[in-house]
């Protein structure tokens, strides 16, 4: 699992946790008839994922997340789906050089190759 | 269906039901194996690429609480950055799958819904609500369980789709 995949998983978890704790969406799942009983298990899963990410990447994730709500965004057809700007080919080619996070040069979001 | 569905829904919920994403007879009998089996049609049709991330999300959603709503129906669902567009997979099981349902009944009908985090039209919740409403109604549920073909199921969903 590379860093982007780890952060993508953390974000999926954060969204799930947010949906059942945020006042605006809380109760939606229960309202539809689904049981919501394992919030602590999700938080524990997040802690375990966090441990696998280096501190620098994690703090970047948190920083971008607090700015935009979501830190990891897909890019598709060379477009960052966070800001809809084209990601330069030079940025894309850097992806091949190992496990570095790919950031949108325009908005700074972490790019996930969809 | 009214040709004028208003501006909110420019894509009908029924359009998310594709026969290529219908599994008339699920082979798996455990929850995790069924989730995996139900992702396969989406991988085959290229609607999703990263099975692992989506699978992890679905398994975690089950840890939050079972998505079985009883009476033989389960609706595993969730959002992931690895899902480009909302997808629905419908699976049926003759023997039933243990989904930790509140009534203890094995699921014989599974609707899997995966969606991206961003969903401006709120189709995800609309679809989830529509399916829940459909299966909570005894008459519709019986028809769903007895439906002999995908088209029959599709017609039922079309009947309950909110219009406008
Ligand atoms: Zn961007």
């Amino acid at each position: 699992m590379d860093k982007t995949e780890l952060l993508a998983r953390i974000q999926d978890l954060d969204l799930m946790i947010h949906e059942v704790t945020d006042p605006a969406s809380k109760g939606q799942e229960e309202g539809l008839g689904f049981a919501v009983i394992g919030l602590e298990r999700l938080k524990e899963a997040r802690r375990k994922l966090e441990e696998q990410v280096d501190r620098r990447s994690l703090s970047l994730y948190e920083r971008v997340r607090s700015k935009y709500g979501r830190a990891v965004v897909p890019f598709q057809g060379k477009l960052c789906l966070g800001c809809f700007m084209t990601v330069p080919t030079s940025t894309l080619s850097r992806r091949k050089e190992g496990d570095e996070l790919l950031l949108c040069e325009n908005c700074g979001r972490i790019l996930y190759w969809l | 269906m009214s040709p004028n569905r208003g501006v909110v829904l420019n894509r009908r919920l029924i359009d998310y039901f594709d026969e290529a994403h219908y599994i008339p007879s699920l082979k798996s009998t455990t929850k995790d194996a069924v989730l995996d089996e139900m992702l396969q049609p989406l991988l085959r049709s290229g609607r999703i690429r990263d099975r692992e991330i989506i699978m992890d999300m679905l398994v975690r959603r089950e840890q939050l609480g079972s998505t079985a709503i009883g009476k033989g129906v389960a609706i595993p669902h969730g959002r992931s950055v690895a899902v480009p567009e909302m997808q629905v997979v419908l699976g049926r099981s003759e023997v039933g799958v243990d989904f930790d349902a509140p009534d203890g009944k094995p699921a014989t009908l599974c609707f899997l819904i995966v969606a991206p985090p961003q969903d401006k039209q709120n189709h995800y919740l609309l679809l989830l609500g529509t399916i829940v409403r459909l299966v909570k109604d005894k008459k519709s549920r019986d028809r769903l369980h007895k439906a002999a073909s995908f088209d029959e199921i599709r017609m039922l969903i079309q009947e309950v789709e909110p219009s406008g």
Side-chain angles (χ1 to χ4, degrees):
Chain A
M1 217 189 298
D2 69 22
K3 250 191 270 187
T4 311
E5 288 169 344
L6 273 167
L7 291 178
R9 280 172 170 84
I10 289 177
Q11 176 167 280
D12 283 354
L13 257 176
D14 281 344
L15 176 62
M16 208 181 285
I17 292 169
H18 178 86
E19 277 177 345
V20 295
T21 53
D22 186 68
S25 53
K26 200 179 165 182
Q28 245 161 25
E29 290 271 335
E30 289 105 322
L32 290 170
F34 299 107
V36 174
I37 48 170
L39 188 58
E40 277 315 308
R41 262 181 284 180
L42 295 194
K43 288 180 178 171
E44 179 56 30
R46 193 198 195 272
R47 278 193 288 272
K48 287 207 173 114
L49 280 172
E50 259 175 44
E51 285 167 13
Q52 299 175 55
V53 192
D54 62 285
R55 201 177 283 180
R56 225 179 100 235
S57 303
L58 197 62
S59 73
L60 174 77
Y61 169 83
E62 297 293 358
R63 218 164 46 239
V64 182
R65 181 184 176 217
S66 66
K67 187 171 176 190
Y68 294 113
R70 272 185 302 129
V72 186
V73 295
F75 78 95
Q76 206 174 25
K78 288 185 183 172
L79 275 188
C80 162
L81 295 189
C83 68
F84 297 95
M85 291 289 279
T86 308
V87 179
T89 321
S90 57
T91 307
L92 298 184
S93 63
R94 250 186 289 141
R95 183 178 174 268
K96 296 186 187 96
E97 295 164 18
D99 189 21
E100 276 316 297
L101 290 174
L102 197 63
L103 305 182
C104 172
E105 282 174 22
N106 183 55
C107 69
R109 288 177 175 99
I110 301 158
L111 298 171
Y112 169 81
W113 200 301
L114 202 57
Chain B
M1 280 306 285
S2 151
N4 180 11
R5 285 176 301 273
V7 288
V8 181
L9 295 178
N10 55 26
R11 187 175 178 188
R12 297 171 309 163
L13 298 181
I14 190 69
D15 295 335
Y16 292 98
F17 288 81
D18 181 339
E19 192 158 12
H21 301 156
Y22 171 54
I23 307 173
S25 180
L26 288 162
K27 290 183 192 75
S28 316
T29 52
T30 63
K31 196 194 255 196
D32 285 7
V34 161
L35 294 174
D36 190 32
E37 186 178 347
M38 292 185 81
L39 287 180
Q40 296 308 316
L42 299 178
L43 284 161
R44 273 198 301 275
S45 60
R47 304 296 177 91
I48 59 169
R49 180 182 62 82
D50 200 326
R51 187 199 73 91
E52 284 76 20
I53 289 185
I54 300 167
M55 184 66 193
D56 270 14
M57 179 275 289
L58 289 169
V59 169
R60 296 232 159 86
R61 175 57 191 84
E62 295 300 325
Q63 286 171 355
L64 180 63
S66 174
T67 57
I69 56 170
K71 317 265 189 213
V73 184
I75 314 174
H77 60 275
R79 303 183 201 249
S80 171
V81 69
V83 178
E85 250 193 292
M86 183 159 82
Q87 302 294 336
V88 181
V89 181
L90 176 56
R92 298 169 74 176
S93 164
E94 279 122 50
V95 288
V97 185
D98 182 8
F99 242 91
D100 307 315
D103 61 3
K105 278 193 178 175
T108 49
L109 203 55
C110 298
F111 291 87
L112 178 129
I113 307 171
V114 289
Q118 72 286 356
D119 175 23
K120 289 204 178 72
Q121 297 182 318
N122 225 351
H123 267 192
Y124 171 68
L125 279 175
L126 266 174
L127 183 63
L128 206 50
T130 302
I131 293 174
V132 167
R133 214 171 52 241
L134 177 74
V135 297
K136 279 193 175 163
D137 175 63
K138 191 185 179 306
K139 230 164 116 186
S140 308
R141 190 173 61 243
D142 289 346
R143 279 174 70 191
L144 269 175
H145 279 302
K146 284 181 197 143
S149 67
F150 177 74
D151 280 341
E152 254 179 76
I153 295 172
R154 208 174 176 273
M155 261 163 55
L156 254 165
I157 290 154
Q158 204 156 7
E159 281 173 30
V160 294
E161 172 162 359
S163 56

